[in-house]
């Protein structure tokens, strides 16, 4: 995976840090970014504090090929992501004429007020990320992609954006699981398999189900042939230890 | 909230960054840490890469009063959190006699193998975090609290740990919501309320329900009287704009 471009996600919002909101964007973006070959390497959840947003953005946009942000692009006072992105890039924060024109036609006379116009205000030179799910666009500037926090809107914006991103090899996943298996009994054999496939990430994940607890082993990487071979070896290992392996992930809890 | 001790959470694990696993630990810890007055200020989700874990730990343990980690303390090769914590602190990574003795009695002869003994191996001087949910303990060293990734076990470990942490004032929350409300119409009035209560975080969160979309306004802080007063003002604001406000958060989706 080392040749693939890398991604970092900034989840911006007090509501996740306070426990008010269960984040659903990390899993969606992690999955989709893997599929398009831009694996997610780090996530930071940060508060609605300008210095924190600006400082973090400038750090991570230098460390990763792509930075995705979710949250903070609505019309209220706690929506400060766009102005922080402008500040981070040192760009004028101004009305985006195309965003303004498109948004203006959607409102009744007098309803496109100052708060709503904030959603058409962006760093100069931003490219819009538009989708049917929201009147207010996301945007892209440099390697930073700014999206909504509402999962339904974020997903539509990401899917509009995805075809424009030059990804690498897709990250694929192969799995095997065995109910009754114990991590402490497979650990040695599993480490040996990992040693033979250094190009893969071999993960061991206990699961807890009504029908019985067990362990799932997941091989991830860009080399599908290696992933299948590694999972075959783990399947043999499970059998040798007296477990009954089944291909794939365990059924959902 | 500025006098309260602060917390950072490191979610350690490729499975969250790959989208394989939906994280549930952030919300739990965010909620509970607020309740005990150690508000969560940042979360980082990082991969099972030693340099990343060690480097991140050393950064955040200097920035925050408390660092909590979840994940990577099992018996398999991908469980490297404990050894990284030892490396970050520059401490010997060795068998913890008490953890070893307690774990050893739980296994049949010959079953307390090298892989399982890794779960009793910690930075020298660590204090155990024990709970009924798991034979293998978490541990505490300095201001770093190391816990399991499995939510059920993590929660039990946190609840065992919580009474030992000196918290500040609890972060409380008051809310009001109105179905039919639009953020773009309440934004100006809401910003004025926020301006009158600088000690609070006033958040505006759209919701989408079968019974109608709307907006919830949440006031968070350590000053309950201010939070109640602010929410009363927002309630009046909703009414002035022709909405029908209801106290509290909207019903679950």
């Amino acid at each position: 995976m080392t040749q693939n471009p890398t991604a970092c996600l900034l989840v911006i919002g007090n509501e996740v840090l306070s426990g008010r909101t269960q984040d659903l964007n990390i899993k969606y973006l992690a999955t989709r970014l893997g599929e398009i070959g831009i694996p997610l390497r780090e996530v930071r959840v940060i508060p609605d504090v300008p210095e924190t947003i600006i400082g973090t953005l400038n750090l991570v946009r230098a460390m990763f090929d792509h930075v995705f942000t979710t949250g903070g692009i609505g019309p209220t006072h706690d929506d400060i992501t766009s102005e922080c992105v402008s500040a981070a890039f040192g760009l004028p924060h101004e009305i985006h004429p195309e965003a303004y024109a498109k948004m203006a036609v959607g409102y009744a006379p007098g309803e496109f007020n100052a708060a709503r116009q904030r959603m058409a205000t962006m760093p100069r030179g931003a490219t819009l990320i538009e989708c049917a799910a929201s009147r207010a666009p996301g945007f892209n500037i440099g390697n930073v992609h700014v999206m909504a926090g509402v999962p339904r809107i974020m997903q539509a914006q990401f899917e509009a954006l995805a075809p424009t991103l030059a990804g690498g090899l897709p990250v694929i996943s192969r799995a095997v699981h065995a109910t009754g298996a114990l991590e402490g009994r497979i650990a040695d054999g599993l480490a040996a398999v990992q040693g033979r496939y250094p190009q893969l990430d071999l993960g061991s994940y206990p699961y807890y189900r009504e029908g019985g607890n067990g362990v799932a082993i997941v091989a991830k990487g860009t080399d599908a042939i290696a992933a299948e071979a590694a999972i075959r070896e783990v399947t043999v290992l499970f059998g040798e230890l007296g477990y009954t392996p089944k291909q794939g992930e365990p059924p959902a809890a």
Side-chain angles (χ1 to χ4, degrees), chain A:
Chain A
M1 285 204 271
T2 46
Q3 264 113 60
N4 274 8
T6 57
C8 176
L9 168 61
L10 298 187
V11 175
I12 300 172
N14 293 338
E15 67 275 25
V16 176
L17 286 175
S18 72
R20 191 258 173 194
T21 299
Q22 167 67 53
D23 171 78
L24 298 172
N25 293 333
I26 296 173
K27 185 174 197 286
Y28 184 88
L29 285 171
T31 303
R32 290 289 294 123
L33 286 167
E35 287 171 356
I36 65 173
I38 308 177
L40 186 61
R41 289 297 185 213
E42 184 165 328
V43 179
R44 299 192 187 190
V45 186
I46 56 175
D48 302 324
V49 173
E51 315 85 79
T52 306
I53 300 174
I54 295 166
T56 304
L57 255 175
N58 278 334
L59 256 169
V60 298
R61 71 187 178 95
M63 289 169 64
F64 299 93
D65 295 310
H66 293 275
V67 175
F68 299 84
T69 76
T70 62
I73 61 168
T76 53
H77 67 278
D78 54 338
D79 290 305
I80 59 172
T81 296
S82 298
E83 60 204 65
C84 290
V85 174
S86 297
F89 278 87
L91 287 167
H93 187 63
E94 62 188 22
I95 289 280
H96 189 290
E98 186 190 345
Y100 186 95
K102 285 178 170 169
M103 286 185 69
V105 298
Y107 288 101
E111 286 290 299
F112 191 39
N113 58 22
R116 285 166 170 150
Q117 289 174 27
R118 288 185 65 217
M119 298 193 285
T121 312
M122 301 173 188
R124 182 180 291 174
T127 304
L128 303 185
I129 305 174
E130 297 171 285
C131 72
S134 174
R135 234 175 239 161
F139 66 86
N140 155 269
I141 184 85
N143 63 341
V144 176
H145 313 283
V146 176
M147 302 184 294
V150 174
R152 185 177 51 86
I153 300 172
M154 185 284 292
Q155 292 173 19
Q157 288 174 336
F158 180 80
E159 296 309 332
L161 172 67
T164 70
L165 303 173
L169 290 169
V171 179
I172 59 87
S173 169
R174 297 291 182 272
V176 60
H177 67 281
T179 296
L182 297 170
E183 282 196 303
R185 294 198 62 214
I186 61 161
D188 282 357
L190 193 64
V193 179
Q194 173 71 82
R196 287 192 286 278
Y197 298 91
Q199 73 272 51
L200 301 174
D201 283 332
L202 215 59
S204 173
Y205 308 118
Y207 58 86
Y208 304 88
R209 298 285 187 277
E210 295 272 322
N213 302 335
V215 177
I217 304 301
V218 181
K220 290 228 172 224
T222 55
D223 183 343
I225 292 169
E228 278 152 24
I231 289 301
R232 270 198 303 276
E233 291 197 28
V234 177
T235 303
V236 170
L237 174 66
F238 271 141
E240 286 170 354
L241 291 168
Y243 304 126
T244 305
K246 294 188 179 171
Q247 297 303 302
E249 290 270 12

